[in-house]
Amino acid sequence: MSTQIHPSAVVDPSAQLGKNVTVGPYAIIEADTVIGDGTTIDAFAQIKQYTTMGAENHIHSHALIGGDPQDIKFGGEKTTLVLGDRNIIREFTTIHRGTPEGRGETNIGSECMIMAYAHVAHDCHLSDNVILTNCVMLAGHVDLGVHAVVGGMCGVHQFCRIGDYAFIAGMTGVPNDVPPFCMAAGTRGSLRGLNSIGLRRSGMTSETIRAIKHAYMTIFRSGYTRSEALEVMKGEENKIKEVEYFLDFISNSERGCLNDVSKNSKHVD
């Protein structure tokens, strides 16, 4: 199948379209863009300047990809948006380019699903297999780890980090970092334990999940201060890479991590 461009679509002559690309009615693809092989751009979608995407992405109707950042300091500088392969971007989603003061680039990994009306602001980084449910709002400079899931109508504060396999329930406000493997929920979000279902589905061994749970209970439910709990965990022999990642994430958090809803518990596994 060759590239198909609907007669009503507007495609700048300088845009680089790969093989087997489909561009629907009234779609707009601006200059200085790269569209990978097998990608589908549905009716009325807009691909703005300085956007590059890999193969087999599907941009649904009325999505706006690569728009100017909503930053009052932005003066039209050349910054970029880069998407990987096989992403699904649903209707009315907006994804904005980076800023000169930030990374200069917004980056979306591969095999992500960003559902309708979601917003990904400037300088965000989404790793592979991320899911943003309907109406999720990511402020600028937010990082999401692999297989992170953010529920509908969540708002994430700028510069927050959300770790690998984290799960955030719908309508949660996220003002601080969410450690990997954890669940968060609540109007003003708090941790609610591990994302046990997600960890089992990932193929993680029972031994690894138990080790992560022990680390979680020590850090968040032992009654220790955060720094005391980290020292306790550092004193234990541990060679499980997932636990090391979990502890490093918390140790290196600049915004601080969400608290556990049962943070006053004295229980430690």
Side-chain angles (χ1 to χ4, degrees):
M1 180 176 112
S2 60
T3 292
Q4 299 182 30
I5 302 175
H6 192 273
S8 64
V10 178
V11 180
D12 190 276
S14 72
Q16 300 178 42
L17 273 60
K19 300 176 183 178
N20 304 324
V21 171
T22 301
V23 182
Y26 302 102
I28 299 173
I29 301 177
E30 294 187 349
D32 301 307
T33 52
V34 178
I35 311 297
D37 296 348
T39 291
T40 298
I41 312 294
D42 282 347
F44 296 99
Q46 292 190 52
I47 312 300
K48 307 293 284 185
Q49 194 173 27
Y50 307 131
T51 297
T52 297
M53 65 179 72
E56 299 179 13
N57 291 285
H58 190 171
I59 313 300
H60 286 253
S61 295
H62 298 281
L64 188 147
I65 310 301
D68 288 351
Q70 295 177 137
D71 185 327
I72 59 174
K73 300 184 298 298
F74 184 71
E77 297 89 349
K78 180 180 178 180
T79 59
T80 58
L81 167 65
V82 177
L83 291 85
D85 304 324
R86 296 177 299 281
N87 294 293
I88 299 172
I89 313 297
R90 294 305 301 254
E91 298 83 358
F92 295 98
T93 290
T94 53
I95 306 176
H96 290 169
R97 297 187 282 125
T99 60
E101 296 81 10
R103 296 182 170 116
E105 177 178 292
T106 300
N107 188 281
I108 310 293
S110 295
E111 299 185 351
C112 298
M113 176 180 279
I114 303 179
M115 297 187 192
Y117 291 92
H119 174 65
V120 179
H122 58 85
D123 301 293
C124 286
H125 173 78
L126 277 62
S127 301
D128 296 342
N129 300 105
V130 165
I131 296 175
L132 303 183
T133 315
N134 299 310
C135 301
V136 166
M137 297 168 287
L138 302 184
H141 311 274
V142 169
D143 287 358
L144 279 81
V146 297
H147 290 279
V149 178
V150 185
M153 301 182 72
C154 287
V156 182
H157 195 281
Q158 62 182 348
F159 293 102
C160 281
R161 298 182 304 148
I162 297 171
D164 295 357
Y165 290 95
F167 182 92
I168 301 175
M171 299 184 71
T172 296
V174 182
N176 299 99
D177 292 349
V178 180
F181 318 127
C182 293
M183 294 193 302
T187 303
R188 193 71 172 174
S190 59
L191 299 180
R192 307 298 176 100
L194 294 184
N195 178 19
S196 300
I197 293 174
L199 298 186
R200 288 197 297 269
R201 287 175 176 171
S202 75
M204 203 172 285
T205 66
S206 297
E207 178 188 8
T208 298
I209 295 173
R210 283 196 298 270
I212 296 170
K213 182 179 179 182
H214 170 69
Y216 179 92
M217 299 296 282
T218 302
I219 299 297
F220 293 106
R221 294 188 181 178
S222 64
Y224 293 125
T225 66
R226 194 70 48 85
S227 59
E228 289 171 345
L230 287 168
E231 286 300 317
V232 169
M233 288 304 304
K234 287 176 183 176
E236 297 184 5
E237 275 197 24
N238 173 55
K239 295 184 179 179
I240 296 178
K241 63 180 182 180
E242 289 85 358
V243 174
E244 292 177 351
Y245 165 53
F246 179 77
L247 297 176
D248 286 345
F249 184 103
I250 296 167
S251 298
N252 296 321
S253 174
E254 294 184 3
R255 287 193 58 79
C257 294
L258 295 180
N259 290 316
D260 183 271
V261 70
S262 304
K263 65 183 177 68
N264 293 321
S265 170
K266 301 292 184 182
H267 177 69
V268 181
D269 267 1

